[in-house]
Amino acid sequence: MTTTAAPRDEQPDREQLHRIVEDLSDGVILIEPDGRIVWANAAALSMHGCTALSELGGTADAYRHRFDLRLRSGQPVPPAAYPIARLCRGEAFHDVVVNVRQAHQAEPDWVHRERGFVLDRAGQPDCLVLIICDATEAFEAEERFESMFNANPAPAVIVRLADLRYVRVNEGFLDLSGWERDQIVGRSLYDFDILDQAAEKDKAKARLAEGDIIPQMEADLPLPNGDTKLVLLAGHPAEMPNNEPCMIFTFADLEPRRRAEMALRQSEERFATAFRFAPVPMLLTSLDGHRILNVNHAFLALTDWGHDSVVGRKPAEIELFESSATRREIERKVSESGSFRGYELQVKTRTGSLVTCIASAETVSINGQFCILAAFQDISDRKRTELDLIAAIEGAMQDSSWLSQKIMDRMAALRGKAAKGASGSPTVDLTAREREVLALITKGKTDDAIASALSLKRNTVRNHVARLYAKIGAHSRAEAIIWARDRGHQLEFETTN
């Protein structure tokens, strides 16, 4: 559009217009239809770093040479797209945002939000008005906000409260969810509802409607593939740099925790199954109070107790062991080292009979609680077999009338060698107490039984047994019994009341 300026003497006096806009905070530049810049208020000059009107260039063409304009993306504005050039073509516009700097200068850099309109007179353009708003601080604040929001490692989205649309999404959320930015920004909360599967959905939506804080709650976040991911979300009311009320939603990924809990649950289920059907009697007690938490089928078969009769009670309440000294010794071993192996003891059944067992225990964690898992191996038959074998050998050596002559000759020869070897070995000097202990060992008594019979402490008995073993070169009760009987010791023990 080509315009022709009116002669100077026919041009209207705009002095009154100048006075009206002089003190406005927005910048105002008046341009004649022929492109001459004829007036600018102080705000417009300041927004260009100028102190005088002439520094704007005098004309629209000169203005384009004096100032570089760029879009917010950083791309240069073509000369024909300069707002002042568009005005000279008679084009009105609204809300054009550009970065402005003086030509060949790196700084300062202003952000202008500009609009332009044409004043007509008698159907002809009379005055071109360029109104400029300095948006530098606002955009700098927005850039800072954007930078901090995107740099926040916590996944987050921002929902504008006016229309409940997503206006910001940071990288953390994109990494968490697998969505693309364009798939989220601009969509409505009703379309992509992050609260739809929240633990307290109604409470969260009511708080969102009121612009109040949404407390932390678990939710299933929808994913692009149709699945969901367990997250912990919370909402915090805030304001955008343009003072628009919004809600910032932050998220924490709970999926690793859910997988860990599932794996733990499966592991505990497998443990419970193995525990229940294990062929070895097993007992699970609490570490702090040694209260029975669970027993397996093999334990119930060994002790003849019912499940409900023992679970929840302490071993002392059902007299599970032969003596309280045995129970205290077990508790001491656990408290000192957290476990023990191969401890021989006698378990008392519901009817009061004793079962000789080898016990082992270990501290374990079940459902987050530290417990003692104890296992018992019934060795009663083995012990009886050992004693029966010793008795049989002794009987055979004392009465061999039923044996063939050849076997008798062979056993006699063996017995003769043993006796010769025994007579040739150094004499072992046993104390009276050691002889008493050895006599009771040959009768199959345990350390606890020996301690009770001799009115000694169990540790004292163990010391006597250790010294006795050292003197005779034995490593077990069976060897001690064979040693005593091979040497013909007549070991007697009489109890006194």
Side-chain angles (χ1 to χ4, degrees), residues 281 298-306 309-310 313 315-323 345-357 376 378 380 384:
F299 181 88
L300 299 178
L302 175 72
T303 63
D304 199 29
W305 282 101
S309 300
V310 294
R313 304 175 69 183
E317 296 177 15
I318 61 173
E319 297 183 357
L320 181 60
F321 303 112
E322 177 191 16
S323 66
L345 52 78
Q346 289 189 306
V347 174
K348 185 181 293 186
T349 68
R350 182 179 61 84
T351 59
S353 61
L354 298 177
V355 180
T356 304
C357 296
F376 303 87
D378 184 358
S380 299
R384 281 193 295 269

Side-chain angles (χ1 to χ4, degrees), residues 380-401:
S380 299
D381 291 342
R382 191 180 79 187
K383 296 287 287 188
R384 281 193 295 269
T385 300
E386 290 177 355
L387 294 176
D388 290 346
L389 178 60
I390 292 172
I393 293 174
E394 182 66 19
M397 297 301 293
Q398 291 177 356
D399 182 11
S400 59
S401 60

Side-chain angles (χ1 to χ4, degrees), residues 397 410-426 482-489:
M397 297 301 293
R410 179 72 58 86
M411 293 180 66
L414 292 173
R415 184 66 178 266
K417 290 180 180 179
K420 182 179 180 181
S423 61
S425 61
I482 293 172
W483 181 90
R485 296 191 178 184
D486 279 349
R487 283 157 179 75
H489 280 263

Side-chain angles (χ1 to χ4, degrees), residues 301-350:
L302 175 72
T303 63
D304 199 29
W305 282 101
H307 183 274
D308 295 337
S309 300
V310 294
V311 172
R313 304 175 69 183
K314 294 184 177 181
E317 296 177 15
I318 61 173
E319 297 183 357
L320 181 60
F321 303 112
E322 177 191 16
S323 66
S324 58
T326 300
R327 175 176 52 79
R328 288 194 297 270
E329 179 68 10
I330 290 174
E331 293 175 356
R332 181 188 66 80
K333 286 177 176 291
V334 171
S335 64
E336 288 180 354
S337 61
S339 65
F340 61 85
R341 298 283 186 278
Y343 180 64
E344 184 175 324
L345 52 78
Q346 289 189 306
V347 174
K348 185 181 293 186
T349 68
R350 182 179 61 84

